Amino acid sequence: MLSQITGLSRHFTAETLQTYLLDRSVRTEDGCLVVHGYGNQRGVHQKVAGRAWAHIAAFVVFVGDYNPELDVHHVCGAPDCIEPTHLRQVSHAENCRSRKQQPQCRNGHDREIDPRTGRYRKVCRHCNSDAQKRWRERQARQVAEGRASYGRPAG
């Protein structure tokens, strides 16, 4: 069964993989078992044990009956959760249908609804505006440094 997991290191057995996943995970207040894989960003899919997705490896060793043609869906919506009761297998189409857009961006700003599509805009206007300001300031600073290195006035 472990051979069906893409990217999993061949040195793992079911028992060692269970221990490995449980050692790298922490229980949250909402009941999720959040795994800490490669990288430190919370809220994204995590890779562990070679290059395998943690939630797929957890489904195989904790739940069993894995079908590689189906997607592993998080009922809780947390992509780094490996709690067996929060994982189920669904078709790719069903997995896509169950996704929902968040009403706020990752910085907490309310997203606007696009009048053409009726869905939330992908890019938050506040965050985009802030990013453009930072870019313009960085460009101006680089131009000023370049002019100063040639002995020209900064203005």
Side-chain angles (χ1 to χ4, degrees):
M1 186 63 88
L2 293 181
S3 61
Q4 294 178 329
I5 304 174
T6 306
L8 182 66
S9 174
R10 60 189 164 96
H11 302 291
F12 280 100
T13 65
E15 294 79 28
T16 59
L17 186 56
Q18 274 184 343
T19 305
Y20 179 80
L21 289 171
L22 291 174
D23 287 344
R24 296 182 69 94
S25 58
V26 175
R27 176 87 48 196
T28 60
E29 294 121 19
D30 56 357
C32 290
L33 191 61
V34 175
V35 67
H36 296 287
Y38 306 133
N40 56 2
Q41 192 173 10
R42 167 78 172 93
V44 297
H45 292 289
Q46 296 290 319
K47 287 195 171 187
V48 294
R51 294 181 318 223
W53 293 111
H55 64 288
I56 295 174
F59 187 85
V60 170
V61 295
F62 294 125
V63 179
D65 198 27
Y66 174 69
N67 182 357
E69 296 174 4
L70 298 175
D71 289 352
V72 177
H73 173 70
H74 295 88
V75 177
C76 59
D80 51 356
C81 175
I82 62 166
E83 171 63 37
T85 59
H86 295 185
L87 302 174
R88 64 184 175 108
Q89 279 203 293
V90 295
S91 68
H92 183 68
E94 176 65 27
N95 200 14
C96 291
R97 275 194 294 274
S98 66
R99 292 184 193 147
K100 61 180 180 183
Q101 286 186 309
Q102 299 298 322
Q104 296 178 335
C105 74
R106 65 180 176 181
N107 294 322
H109 303 123
D110 289 332
R111 288 199 173 148
E112 298 176 6
I113 297 207
D114 189 349
R116 291 177 293 132
T117 62
R119 297 175 56 101
Y120 289 115
R121 292 184 187 268
K122 240 181 189 179
V123 179
C124 169
R125 289 184 186 241
H126 296 288
C127 295
N128 191 23
S129 175
D130 293 343
Q132 288 179 1
K133 285 178 189 174
R134 287 192 306 271
W135 182 84
R136 283 193 293 273
E137 290 168 359
R138 191 170 52 247
Q139 290 298 103
R141 193 170 48 252
Q142 289 175 353
V143 167
E145 289 171 0
R147 287 185 175 170
S149 69
Y150 284 110
R152 293 187 182 166

